[in-house]
Amino acid sequence: ECLTRARAPSMTSTATRALFAPPRAMPRSRGTVVSAVSSVPKGTTPPAHLESAWTQRVITLDPKSRGIFIWTDTLRASLPEMRDVRVGMVNLFLRSATSALTVNENCDPDVRTDMQNALEAIVPLGLDEERAALVGCSIDLPVRDGRLALGTWQGLYLLASNAGPVEVVATLVDLRGDTKTTKNVRLNAPSRGCHPARDAIDAAFAGVFDGDDDKKKQRGDSKREVFGLRRVFAQRAGQTHER
């Protein structure tokens, strides 16, 4: 899960590093499966005509202390159905008001230290609910060819507020009948900063809905609905500003 590479020196001060000294290795969080349900009976193969199939498992993570832990391998082991998914999505929902989930670099131990320092500069110690609300308790991740479609240096993190078990509801959706509407899109940024990506995404899906009038109409209706909501929000924002 972890590859070796050189990383730029951190700008974190010596005094701050002394507060959260980096571990020798990336800390892992192990888990156990509490329950599992699926749209396909255990031991059977989903029929080819199904457009999608789903599996949901409740995974218990058991950190031994407050901290930041990586658990990518735990998810893979706890959700074996993912190995059979060519194209799909997995939603991870953390049942906790004080802990959080995120994705970050999965190799260099300094990442954990830098993340901890950055979060505590934003949210003071003791405000775990506020930190959880800032980071989030739910993540949607793509699945491709039986694996999480993460980048080379990405992994799953649990931000644990305390020692003790927390539950993650993992819902895997196998989009076996809709693979043509799933694509990898490469976005080339000319420089550091924010850049529009809509044209590149539209170009990648050009022609996907050709010959399927229902889907073309549905896509058009969805776009009009989104733009209509944007106009409503813009109008409300303008009225609020005037008041």
Side-chain angles (χ1 to χ4, degrees), residues 184-195:
N184 284 341
V185 181
R186 182 180 294 275
L187 303 176
N188 296 315
S191 62
R192 179 184 178 89
C194 298
H195 304 278

Side-chain angles (χ1 to χ4, degrees), residues 83-105:
R83 292 192 290 264
D84 299 323
V85 176
R86 180 184 173 192
V87 174
M89 294 289 296
V90 60
N91 172 264
L92 305 173
F93 180 81
L94 181 64
R95 288 175 169 174
S96 172
T98 57
S99 296
L101 297 176
T102 189
V103 173
N104 210 317
E105 183 180 330

Side-chain angles (χ1 to χ4, degrees), residues 6-221:
R7 188 169 184 262
S10 173
M11 299 302 291
T12 310
S13 67
T14 303
T16 307
R17 280 194 177 280
L19 183 61
F20 297 104
R24 293 183 179 180
M26 294 298 287
R28 262 61 174 175
S29 180
R30 297 181 178 180
T32 55
V33 177
V34 178
S35 63
V37 292
S38 177
S39 63
V40 179
K42 185 176 180 179
T44 63
T45 302
H49 69 275
L50 283 183
E51 289 194 359
S52 65
W54 59 268
T55 297
Q56 186 176 85
R57 291 179 177 267
V58 179
I59 304 168
T60 296
L61 303 178
D62 194 10
K64 301 306 180 184
S65 65
R66 175 187 175 89
I68 300 176
F69 304 90
I70 193 167
W71 64 288
T72 317
D73 286 345
T74 297
L75 176 64
R76 292 169 179 159
S78 302
L79 197 60
E81 294 85 357
M82 186 164 56
R83 292 192 290 264
D84 299 323
V85 176
R86 180 184 173 192
V87 174
M89 294 289 296
V90 60
N91 172 264
L92 305 173
F93 180 81
L94 181 64
R95 288 175 169 174
S96 172
T98 57
S99 296
L101 297 176
T102 189
V103 173
N104 210 317
E105 183 180 330
N106 67 344
C107 188
D108 195 322
D110 285 348
V111 172
R112 174 176 173 262
T113 305
D114 294 341
M115 192 190 310
Q116 182 77 42
N117 293 334
L119 286 172
E120 296 204 352
I122 300 171
V123 183
L125 280 169
L127 300 180
D128 293 327
E129 291 85 356
E130 287 75 6
R131 184 183 73 160
L134 176 67
V135 178
C137 63
S138 181
I139 303 177
D140 289 324
L141 296 172
V143 177
R144 188 173 184 86
D145 295 330
R147 298 172 59 87
L148 293 174
L150 294 169
T152 303
W153 308 109
Q154 288 181 311
L156 294 173
Y157 278 84
L158 167 69
L159 280 63
S161 58
N162 297 290
V166 291
E167 291 186 343
V168 178
V169 181
T171 305
L172 175 68
V173 179
D174 183 353
L175 301 174
R176 59 184 63 251
D178 204 20
T179 57
K180 70 176 184 178
T181 58
T182 303
K183 293 180 177 292
N184 284 341
V185 181
R186 182 180 294 275
L187 303 176
N188 296 315
S191 62
R192 179 184 178 89
C194 298
H195 304 278
R198 178 177 173 178
D199 290 345
I201 295 175
D202 284 346
F205 283 93
V208 168
F209 297 100
D210 290 350
D212 191 333
D213 294 336
D214 291 338
K215 287 188 176 181
K216 286 174 69 176
K217 182 179 183 300
Q218 183 179 3
R219 190 184 186 204
D221 291 343

